[in-house]
Amino acid sequence: MPKELILRKSAKITTAFKNRFFPHIKAPKCAFVYLSTQSEVRTLAIINHLIDNGIGVYVPCVDNGAIHPVKYTKGCRLSKGAFKIKEPVKKIKPKTPKCIEMVVVPGIAFDLKGNRVGFGKGFFDMFLKELKPNSIKVALAFEKQIVKAVPSQPHDVRMNYIITEDRIINCGRAK
Ligand SMILES: Nc1ncnc2c1ncn2[C@@H]1O[C@H](COP(=O)(O)OP(=O)(O)O)[C@@H](O)[C@H]1O
Ligand SMILES: [Mg+2]
């Protein structure tokens, strides 16, 4: 997709995210949000919105074949880490991953049940299992990433919500 289209759709997804989760749910104390790359739904506006609402934001840092949450602060210095994905230079860990109440993840494809195809390494599946079981799992995706069915295995973790530029898919089991 051309960048302009990605930005326009990302803006719609950002608005839908804000309208769905603020102020309708009790705001999480801490959230985990991916830092978007070129082709993904952009997340910076969502991250800033969370920070403006007093929510601690953590982003992924890939180290030793696993995702670790590290603190993101506005304007913090970033550098390219594993897979050339940007991550904060300073690696400030949360006291415990259990403090993360909301998780925003990217993906390749999703179905309406909340099944997710990731990047083929199961990193997010492994990470999501470390969190509180009732943490809210939100995927951001473009409508063309929604497909009829994706294969799922027992280790795959399902999403509670998928937000696209056209709709919010409630996949159920959400708190
Ligand atoms: N929670 C997990 N525990 C152990 N191994 C896992 C876990 N999640 C994924 N894997 C391993 O990673 C591989 C890729 O996971 P997969 O779910 O297919 O990738 P993705 O979700 O990134 O598309 C799996 O075949 C499995 O070997
Ligand atoms: Mg998986």
Side-chain angles (χ1 to χ4, degrees), residues 76-136:
C76 68
R77 272 186 56 205
L78 303 173
S79 67
K80 283 183 182 172
F83 310 110
K84 297 194 175 152
I85 298 168
K86 281 185 188 164
E87 54 188 47
V89 173
K90 276 194 192 163
K91 309 284 191 266
I92 304 166
K93 291 178 192 164
K95 284 193 187 95
T96 157
K98 303 273 183 224
C99 70
I100 293 168
E101 296 169 15
M102 175 185 268
V103 193
V104 180
V105 303
I108 303 287
F110 300 89
D111 67 20
L112 298 180
K113 288 182 187 157
N115 292 312
R116 169 181 178 276
V117 179
F119 304 94
K121 295 196 186 285
F123 281 2
F124 275 102
D125 292 313
M126 284 181 257
F127 174 68
L128 292 170
K129 280 191 183 141
E130 288 172 27
L131 306 178
K132 271 202 274 204
N134 62 356
S135 61
I136 301 173

Side-chain angles (χ1 to χ4, degrees), residues 32 34-35 40-41 60 104-108 110 116-119 124 138-141 145 159:
F32 175 90
Y34 70 96
L35 273 181
E40 291 174 335
V41 176
V104 180
V105 303
I108 303 287
F110 300 89
R116 169 181 178 276
V117 179
F119 304 94
F124 275 102
V138 182
L140 306 183
Q145 291 175 268
M159 301 294 114

Side-chain angles (χ1 to χ4, degrees), residues 5-21:
L5 205 52
I6 290 180
L7 295 182
R8 198 163 354 121
K9 288 178 194 233
S10 294
K12 279 192 180 178
I13 291 166
T14 301
T15 302
F17 177 92
K18 290 181 188 175
N19 290 343
R20 176 61 186 80
F21 294 112

Side-chain angles (χ1 to χ4, degrees), residues 27-175:
K29 284 190 210 64
C30 279
F32 175 90
V33 187
Y34 70 96
L35 273 181
S36 48
T37 62
Q38 292 297 312
S39 58
E40 291 174 335
V41 176
R42 297 295 201 272
T43 54
L44 201 54
I46 285 176
I47 289 173
N48 285 333
H49 183 74
L50 291 166
I51 293 173
D52 290 343
N53 280 273
I55 297 160
V57 173
Y58 291 86
V59 298
C61 164
V62 174
D63 187 30
N64 240 327
I67 289 177
H68 305 277
V70 295
K71 183 99 181 193
Y72 179 92
T73 51
K74 273 192 183 178
C76 68
R77 272 186 56 205
L78 303 173
S79 67
K80 283 183 182 172
F83 310 110
K84 297 194 175 152
I85 298 168
K86 281 185 188 164
E87 54 188 47
V89 173
K90 276 194 192 163
K91 309 284 191 266
I92 304 166
K93 291 178 192 164
K95 284 193 187 95
T96 157
K98 303 273 183 224
C99 70
I100 293 168
E101 296 169 15
M102 175 185 268
V103 193
V104 180
V105 303
I108 303 287
F110 300 89
D111 67 20
L112 298 180
K113 288 182 187 157
N115 292 312
R116 169 181 178 276
V117 179
F119 304 94
K121 295 196 186 285
F123 281 2
F124 275 102
D125 292 313
M126 284 181 257
F127 174 68
L128 292 170
K129 280 191 183 141
E130 288 172 27
L131 306 178
K132 271 202 274 204
N134 62 356
S135 61
I136 301 173
K137 297 160 198 67
V138 182
L140 306 183
F142 298 112
E143 192 58 38
K144 62 165 78 166
Q145 291 175 268
I146 309 298
V147 298
K148 254 203 188 120
V150 304
S152 78
Q153 293 176 290
H155 68 256
D156 286 312
V157 178
R158 277 205 267 168
M159 301 294 114
N160 301 124
Y161 295 94
I162 305 165
I163 306 182
T164 76
E165 66 275 27
D166 292 339
R167 55 184 166 160
I168 295 179
I169 301 162
N170 185 341
C171 313
R173 297 182 309 126
K175 272 278 288 180

